[in-house]
Amino acid sequence: MKKAEATAYARGLIPEREFSAAYMDLRNLRGLLQKSPDSADYEIIKAVWDVIVEQRYSDQTMSRLLYRECSKALAAVGAFCTDSKLSSKALSLQVQAASTCTEHASIEASGGLGVLPFELVLPDSPPKLSGHSPSISWDELLKAGKVTSEPVFSGRSAVMESAGDNQIFAVKIARNEESPEGLHLEGKWMEKLFADAKRCSVRFDCPRPFPVSDQMLFKITGLPENCPENLHKDGYAMAYHAHSDYFAYPNDDREGKRTEPQDFLEIMSRNSYILGWLAGRGIVHDAPIPLFHNRVQAMRRTDEGVYQWHRFGRLDRWLESCRFPNFGRSGLRDFEHLQVMKPGTDKFYRAIGSHFMSILLVIGSWFRAQNSELCGLDEKDEPIDARSLFDSEFFENAVMSCFTEYYRGFTGFEFQHEIDLHISKLVKCMIDQMGVDNHMFEFMRIVDQNILEDREFRNYLLKYGMAPEKVAELKKGEADIPLVTGPHLGNFNGVISLPEIIEWSAMAAGCCIAAKSLGERWVGARLGVV
């Protein structure tokens, strides 16, 4: 009965089928196949595959929902059908769709793989902040941390040398009006992962938290006069000891701190492994780099402007986002961004996709770091063309190395080329878009201006390079103001100019998750087997 019902739904999926009718047929078919995967046959999975691979209904606003039904239907057969030959065919068809489709069809084909569950005993999340935060004076803290040099502030963190080989002592202070919860969690994550990091098969120097009266979060009194102005009035802070490489970035553009090609490749590949190794255990870093759709609108957007790659929106200030990634020579950084996440969900799949997107962006930024002055607009207000800084062969090698290391860390075994990654095509698109600064402008809307006090408004304009005399002339709330803040990937409030980076990141995430979920069943589904 179920077989006949599934066949009837599949035979209704003809190219002429109206969108809403096709969507309901696919939704019903997906539900049936998830409950009874053995009711499928080749005719059924081929009919579903035809819809997504031909990208039917791509002109429909809600086409992504239809493609999601296609993908989950194929994944149900691929993962759970007892007919191993049919299962392999379903997976092979889905792999082809993931690696050849574009835009929403691509990420939904990958997403069907990305939401496959796998068995995992999730670790406990660190306990939330509770109880008293003790106080300690600045001088007492430095003495207890065995500091051997003068502290230097880098943003809100004070960094100084400490006793021991290649050791630093860092004090991270909460910003004004910021909840101190993140600092508490960062210390607790360091405490939780310190021993685990030593068992990682690659170098991962996890910082060692420095509690005060057994509390990760404490209050500092008597801060020095040279500290930043935007710090929390109560002096909430946490501290830690770390390897002196902790603040060494793979793509640093500062003179004397740039990494050589092989050194860069080693750092990137190793951190890709660490990100994958933790994610495969359910511990996900949700911000390897900070990604935004629109920073200028962050104050009034419910999503705070944070980037959601599955929406294909324009990526704000991509080079600025890459400047200080949350990984470096010693391993991962900013542990407050770690969270326990259950696999088998869209949230998990999208987090893994963000890892790959972040890795790709940082690789691209390394080439631009070789001449950071070659950026923006020239004297004729034409986009700078910096494509000569890129080496496509090294770029491709870096992408491949980072992917295979992430895959190995995440799954526990080697990548066996079960999916065509199309890296040369990806890299060509990345060089064309990352190498030419076509998208330099954003607009400060009237509604965003009116949120700020007059002083904040004018400081914002000065921060992003507007001439002081021009700032003095402007009246807040009178008109939208164009600002040169790029390079961005896409026009303001538009779509991303490099959709290939999203499609590839989605495919890479789906591949890793499916491999861990399905094991030998996945590896056996070679591209083009059908």
Side-chain angles (χ1 to χ4, degrees), residues 49-107:
W49 181 74
D50 283 343
V51 174
I52 193 168
V53 82
E54 293 172 9
Q55 296 188 222
R56 296 179 198 166
Y57 314 105
S58 59
D59 59 339
Q60 295 284 333
T61 304
M62 304 305 289
S63 61
R64 62 186 179 86
L65 298 180
L66 178 140
Y67 297 143
R68 182 175 299 181
E69 297 297 340
C70 292
S71 183
K72 289 184 176 180
L74 289 172
V77 179
F80 304 111
C81 180
T82 58
D83 181 338
S84 60
K85 190 173 181 180
L86 185 63
S87 166
S88 181
K89 285 180 179 180
L91 286 172
S92 185
L93 288 172
Q94 185 150 10
V95 166
Q96 289 185 54
S99 63
T100 59
C101 290
T102 58
E103 297 186 344
H104 291 294
S106 170
I107 66 168

Side-chain angles (χ1 to χ4, degrees), residues 193-297:
L193 291 179
F194 185 74
D196 279 1
K198 294 181 183 300
R199 293 192 286 271
C200 185
S201 65
V202 301
R203 178 192 173 189
F204 178 14
D205 293 325
C206 180
R208 188 172 71 257
F210 186 84
V212 172
S213 300
D214 296 324
Q215 297 297 315
M216 294 299 171
L217 184 74
F218 48 85
K219 299 177 186 177
I220 301 175
T221 59
L223 282 168
E225 292 183 359
N226 66 334
C227 69
E229 295 181 0
N230 65 336
L231 300 182
H232 199 287
K233 62 182 179 63
D234 293 326
Y236 283 110
M238 59 85 64
Y240 56 91
H241 286 95
H243 193 280
S244 56
D245 285 341
Y246 188 70
F247 291 101
Y249 301 98
N251 57 339
D252 205 319
D253 62 0
R254 292 171 290 183
E255 199 65 42
K257 295 191 175 184
R258 294 176 189 145
T259 54
E260 294 298 318
Q262 291 309 310
D263 193 21
F264 170 76
L265 187 60
E266 190 278 328
I267 295 171
M268 290 299 299
S269 300
R270 177 161 48 84
N271 278 283
S272 297
Y273 178 92
I274 296 168
L275 282 168
W277 178 66
L278 288 174
R281 301 162 64 205
I283 302 172
V284 177
H285 198 299
D286 67 9
I289 62 174
L291 297 176
F292 292 90
H293 175 58
N294 279 327
R295 283 175 173 86
V296 72
Q297 295 177 349

Side-chain angles (χ1 to χ4, degrees), residues 227-453:
C227 69
E229 295 181 0
N230 65 336
L231 300 182
H232 199 287
K233 62 182 179 63
D234 293 326
Y236 283 110
M238 59 85 64
Y240 56 91
H241 286 95
H243 193 280
S244 56
D245 285 341
Y246 188 70
F247 291 101
Y249 301 98
N251 57 339
D252 205 319
D253 62 0
R254 292 171 290 183
E255 199 65 42
K257 295 191 175 184
R258 294 176 189 145
T259 54
E260 294 298 318
Q262 291 309 310
D263 193 21
F264 170 76
L265 187 60
E266 190 278 328
I267 295 171
M268 290 299 299
S269 300
R270 177 161 48 84
N271 278 283
S272 297
Y273 178 92
I274 296 168
L275 282 168
W277 178 66
L278 288 174
R281 301 162 64 205
I283 302 172
V284 177
H285 198 299
D286 67 9
I289 62 174
L291 297 176
F292 292 90
H293 175 58
N294 279 327
R295 283 175 173 86
V296 72
Q297 295 177 349
M299 294 172 287
R300 65 178 174 88
R301 292 173 64 106
T302 55
D303 59 7
E304 298 182 327
V306 175
Y307 197 68
Q308 300 178 50
W309 58 260
H310 58 284
R311 297 186 182 277
F312 283 92
R314 163 258 210 185
L315 184 63
D316 185 88
R317 306 179 207 173
W318 77 270
L319 271 180
E320 184 176 327
S321 289
C322 293
R323 191 135 189 255
F324 300 110
N326 285 328
F327 52 85
R329 193 181 299 278
S330 67
L332 300 189
R333 297 181 58 244
D334 272 20
F335 285 57
E336 67 189 277
H337 289 290
L338 292 173
Q339 58 176 296
V340 174
M341 200 175 292
K342 184 180 179 180
T345 63
D346 282 330
K347 182 181 179 181
F348 185 83
Y349 159 61
R350 290 169 183 168
I352 306 307
S354 290
H355 285 180
F356 282 110
M357 190 168 178
S358 299
I359 290 165
L360 293 176
L361 289 165
V362 172
I363 296 173
S365 74
W366 179 82
F367 293 99
R368 294 295 299 262
Q370 307 313 304
N371 185 352
S372 58
E373 297 299 315
L374 193 63
C375 183
L377 302 174
D378 63 18
E379 63 279 0
K380 296 180 180 179
D381 285 337
E382 292 295 323
I384 291 289
D385 188 339
R387 285 177 290 183
S388 61
L389 298 176
F390 291 80
D391 177 337
S392 60
E393 183 178 355
F394 180 71
F395 203 154
E396 289 176 24
N397 288 341
V399 173
M400 188 65 187
S401 179
C402 289
F403 173 80
T404 54
E405 284 302 294
Y406 190 103
Y407 182 104
R408 186 170 69 90
F410 187 86
T411 65
F413 49 86
E414 302 290 336
F415 177 57
Q416 298 186 41
H417 301 274
E418 58 267 22
I419 187 168
D420 188 345
L421 297 173
H422 301 294
I423 289 177
S424 60
K425 177 185 174 183
L426 168 71
V427 165
K428 182 180 184 304
C429 295
M430 290 179 70
I431 292 174
D432 286 343
Q433 290 299 321
M434 293 178 159
V436 184
D437 295 335
N438 285 314
H439 309 284
M440 290 299 298
F441 292 93
E442 70 179 53
F443 291 86
M444 192 176 194
R445 304 292 195 203
I446 291 174
V447 65
D448 298 309
Q449 298 171 37
N450 289 336
I451 291 173
L452 301 175
E453 297 294 334

Side-chain angles (χ1 to χ4, degrees), residues 469-482:
E469 58 272 17
K470 180 77 178 292
V471 172
E473 293 172 0
L474 284 172
K475 184 177 179 180
K476 180 165 72 80
E478 195 170 65
D480 293 344
I481 301 171

